[in-house]
Amino acid sequence: MAIRNMRAALFDLDGVVFDTESQYSVFWGEQCRLYHPDKPGLENRIKGQTLVQIFDNYFPNMKEEQAEIVARLDEFEKNMKFEYVKGFLDFINELRDAGIKTAVVTSSNMMKMKAVYASHKEFKSLFDAILTSEDFERSKPDPDCYLKGAALFGADRDECMVFEDSFNGLKAGRSAEMYVIGLATTNTAEAIRPYADYVISDFREMLGKI
């Protein structure tokens, strides 16, 4: 890894900065059992998909049900626990000390981010930029979000590294032609390895490599 040559580090949020995927599995498990009792384990197949993708793929033509799910999700996210992935805080400080720009690039919306900010007063100070779903025209796996992240810092593609855990996110980083580091927090290392240049279990493996 040539981290020293990087100008920007772009981070997904859930499963990368915060260890939240197990909580979402509980939420979506409840919704799937309610609306799709004939599809056991569906919550595992929708991991890493945006809300729009989940609705399009599994809840089409169910407008009333979609509205109910959104309301439940908003309430659920207000009460989530946002615990940093191990080693993240030390690693983000190493990046900033090295002069590498940092940004969150997430499909989460501003309502969700308000819950994050309420839980972690220091969160905004950790990053040079925070991009949410409102900032993108196209969702992951389209590279739009990561290209916009690079553009914020005037960085070329080969000067950016992407940190992702989901298949759609990893594919977005690859499509953006950036250096992709996959976190095996949501899916196994073996499963994500074909989509990443480097795989880690958490950020403790990155410390001291800048």
Side-chain angles (χ1 to χ4, degrees):
M1 283 186 300
I3 293 181
R4 292 180 183 274
N5 298 325
M6 296 294 176
R7 291 182 56 196
L10 310 177
F11 296 85
D12 180 40
L13 188 71
D14 292 296
V16 175
V17 176
F18 292 122
D19 187 10
T20 51
E21 288 303 322
S22 61
Q23 295 176 73
Y24 279 113
S25 291
V26 171
F27 174 82
W28 284 111
E30 293 173 349
Q31 307 313 305
C32 292
R33 286 189 291 275
L34 179 61
Y35 296 109
H36 293 296
D38 59 323
K39 298 178 180 178
L42 179 59
E43 66 272 18
N44 297 317
R45 298 202 295 275
I46 65 177
K47 282 184 178 181
Q49 296 183 31
T50 66
L51 187 59
V52 171
Q53 290 167 337
I54 292 171
F55 283 166
D56 286 347
N57 292 332
Y58 302 104
F59 298 86
N61 305 316
M62 300 171 66
K63 295 301 181 183
E64 291 185 8
E65 291 83 354
Q66 289 180 14
E68 292 172 354
I69 292 172
V70 169
R72 292 190 197 110
L73 181 59
D74 287 342
E75 187 62 28
F76 179 82
E77 290 180 334
K78 288 179 184 178
N79 300 293
M80 285 182 68
K81 294 181 180 180
F82 296 101
E83 296 183 359
Y84 289 111
V85 169
K86 292 178 180 179
F88 172 77
L89 287 176
D90 289 334
F91 180 59
I92 200 80
N93 286 328
E94 285 190 2
L95 289 174
R96 294 176 67 81
D97 288 345
I100 297 174
K101 296 293 185 180
T102 59
V104 168
V105 181
T106 177
S107 298
S108 297
N109 59 25
M110 280 305 302
M111 183 174 293
K112 159 78 171 291
M113 297 309 298
K114 287 180 180 178
V116 171
Y117 302 150
S119 179
H120 289 281
K121 304 300 183 185
E122 79 289 350
F123 188 81
K124 290 183 180 180
S125 68
L126 300 176
F127 301 94
D128 296 293
I130 297 175
L131 299 179
T132 63
S133 61
E134 290 85 357
D135 296 308
F136 314 128
E137 297 175 7
R138 296 174 295 280
S139 299
K140 303 171 186 178
D142 191 280
D144 176 55
C145 58
Y146 283 119
L147 295 176
K148 287 184 176 177
L152 279 178
F153 303 129
D156 293 333
R157 299 181 187 213
D158 60 359
E159 296 176 316
C160 297
M161 51 185 167
V162 167
F163 293 86
E164 271 285 0
D165 65 310
S166 71
F167 292 114
N168 280 339
L170 294 163
K171 290 176 182 177
R174 273 286 173 85
S175 294
E177 298 178 7
M178 298 176 181
Y179 189 84
V180 179
I181 299 176
L183 278 90
T185 51
T186 302
N187 301 287
T188 66
E190 291 74 18
I192 67 173
R193 189 163 284 117
Y195 306 95
D197 296 294
Y198 192 72
V199 176
I200 59 175
S201 57
D202 60 52
F203 289 101
R204 291 175 296 183
E205 297 175 42
M206 298 294 297
L207 299 180
K209 293 187 177 180
I210 301 175

